[in-house]
Amino acid sequence: DAGVIQSPRHEVTEMGQEVTLRCKPISGHNSLFWYRQTMMRGLELLIYFNNNVPIDDSGMPEDRFSAKMPNASFSTLKIQPSEPRDSAVYFCASSYLTGAQPQHFGDGTRLSIL
Amino acid sequence: DQQVKQNSPSLSVQEGRISILNCDYTNSMFDYFLWYKKYPAEGPTFLISISSIKDKNEDGRFTVFLNKSAKHLSLHIVPSQPGDSAVYFCAVHGSSNTGKLIFGQGTTLQVKP
């Protein structure tokens, strides 16, 4: 079974550049979550989608961050322009919406903004 | 204001002994609790969960205990193995059925051979 697939695994770019992170959820899952992990703040939820619709984006730190889910099998998290403080590991997770279900995580994208 | 707290950043135990990881939460409305394990350079992996209608759930070497009156959750690993060395996160699910989880800060477990 294919798990949650994230790309790229690592991204190093210069401040001011646009960064796009990609996620393919597990087939059949109808909820998708974007998290950011830092030493200071731990694992924090940025935004999540139910049935491709953004439900709660209150965790998105600034307007420089945006996320889309054009279909059930693909989502992107974009940072434009990027800043050094955006450096972190970004995880995508998916789950079934019905009932209390565990989320399944991808292996993350390690982002470094120079 | 952290709704989910893991007060011990790290724990070290000897192989074969019991590992006990703790987690406290603030909201009595939380209805579903989970533990995740995370190895370096990998995403968190679901380990075990418990519903608020239960006080114990067991899966092999892993047992989760829920004390609702104390708003306390614990994970017991018996016997501990070196391969259990990882970061353990507790997470809680609210009652709104949105699927949203709130994670603790994590506890790094080291099991020494």
Side-chain angles (χ1 to χ4, degrees):
Chain A
D1 287 346
V4 175
I5 300 172
Q6 291 187 245
S7 64
R9 288 298 311 277
H10 303 275
E11 175 86 18
V12 181
T13 192
E14 291 187 348
M15 181 176 66
Q17 297 297 308
E18 177 179 293
V19 173
T20 300
L21 310 181
R22 297 173 176 78
C23 176
K24 177 179 170 56
I26 292 173
S27 178
H29 282 185
N30 45 14
S31 290
L32 183 138
F33 307 82
W34 281 101
Y35 291 88
R36 178 172 68 176
Q37 184 181 29
T38 61
M39 289 294 292
M40 290 297 294
R41 299 176 66 88
L43 195 62
E44 53 178 341
L45 177 66
L46 301 177
I47 185 172
Y48 73 97
F49 297 81
N50 286 346
N51 294 318
N52 311 340
V53 176
I55 302 301
D56 183 352
D57 65 353
S58 59
M60 297 285 261
E62 298 173 35
D63 291 344
R64 299 183 295 106
F65 286 69
S66 63
K68 294 182 179 179
M69 192 164 186
N71 56 62
S73 59
F74 183 67
S75 177
T76 59
L77 177 67
K78 188 173 291 187
I79 308 173
Q80 167 64 18
S82 57
E83 296 183 5
R85 60 196 167 116
D86 302 330
S87 298
V89 181
Y90 291 80
F91 290 103
C92 175
S94 69
S95 72
Y96 293 108
L97 174 58
T98 306
Q101 299 286 341
Q103 295 175 16
H104 299 265
F105 283 75
D107 284 336
T109 295
R110 181 171 293 277
L111 177 63
S112 296
I113 308 297
L114 306 177
Chain B
D1 56 338
Q2 284 182 277
Q3 298 185 68
V4 181
K5 291 184 181 179
Q6 293 177 254
N7 291 318
S8 297
S10 62
L11 174 67
S12 181
V13 300
Q14 208 65 36
E15 180 180 5
R17 307 296 288 268
I18 185 171
S19 295
I20 300 176
L21 298 104
N22 295 301
C23 179
D24 296 301
Y25 60 95
T26 58
N27 191 335
S28 59
M29 295 298 292
F30 292 145
D31 62 358
Y32 183 59
F33 306 84
L34 309 91
W35 284 96
Y36 282 80
K37 179 170 71 173
K38 185 184 179 305
Y39 293 118
E42 295 183 9
T45 303
F46 170 69
L47 193 56
I48 192 171
S49 64
I50 188 168
S51 164
S52 59
I53 62 174
K54 295 185 176 182
D55 54 19
K56 176 182 174 181
N57 188 26
E58 193 171 347
D59 183 1
R61 297 184 297 111
F62 301 90
T63 303
V64 56
F65 294 92
L66 177 62
N67 182 334
K68 290 185 285 293
S69 61
K71 299 191 188 70
H72 181 79
L73 185 70
S74 64
L75 175 68
H76 292 209
I77 306 173
V78 182
S80 301
Q81 300 173 354
D84 296 330
S85 298
V87 179
Y88 289 80
F89 294 94
C90 67
V92 302
H93 178 276
S95 58
S96 61
N97 201 30
T98 61
K100 181 177 177 178
L101 295 179
I102 304 168
F103 284 83
Q105 292 286 87
T107 297
T108 300
L109 173 66
Q110 182 185 27
V111 180
K112 297 179 179 179

